[in-house]
Amino acid sequence: MKMPAFKSAEECEDAVDHADEEGNLLVWTDGGFDPARLVAGYGIFYGTGNPRNVAEPLEHGVPSAPRAERYQSNSFKRRMSRACQSLNQSQ
């Protein structure tokens, strides 16, 4: 799966981010399983219309809620690590 590139602030001006009272970015994540359809997937939500939002199905292995949760956690960590590396390289 190819992860989308993070866009600059100017390219995301219509995107919504959520922050707490200290200015920390709030991000919601979830993984789930639909036993009626035997599918699982995960999501990462930054805000309405935000291009960093993700909704992906699990494409390999036996679908389950624990696998979907684990996959969303790993995916979020990879994305944040990549964003931090890009930020550090630009400074």
Side-chain angles (χ1 to χ4, degrees):
M1 170 179 62
K2 182 179 178 189
M3 290 186 269
F6 286 95
K7 296 183 177 183
S8 69
E10 294 79 27
E11 292 174 303
C12 299
E13 63 187 39
D14 292 336
V16 175
D17 278 336
H18 299 278
D20 65 12
E21 55 279 346
E22 296 174 1
N24 298 308
L25 179 66
L26 299 175
V27 179
W28 290 264
T29 65
D30 194 21
F33 173 65
D34 181 349
R37 296 183 6 208
L38 297 175
V39 296
Y42 73 96
I44 302 171
F45 181 76
Y46 290 85
T48 303
N50 196 305
R52 295 174 293 178
N53 292 341
V54 176
E56 296 286 337
L58 290 184
E59 297 177 343
H60 306 287
V62 178
S64 69
R67 283 190 70 241
E69 292 285 348
R70 192 167 40 253
Y71 198 86
Q72 65 80 17
S73 176
N74 292 338
S75 177
F76 180 69
K77 288 176 191 174
R78 280 192 311 272
R79 290 166 190 276
M80 292 309 295
S81 175
R82 197 173 100 228
C84 290
Q85 287 173 359
S86 294
L87 185 62
N88 288 336
Q89 289 172 358
S90 68
Q91 294 178 349

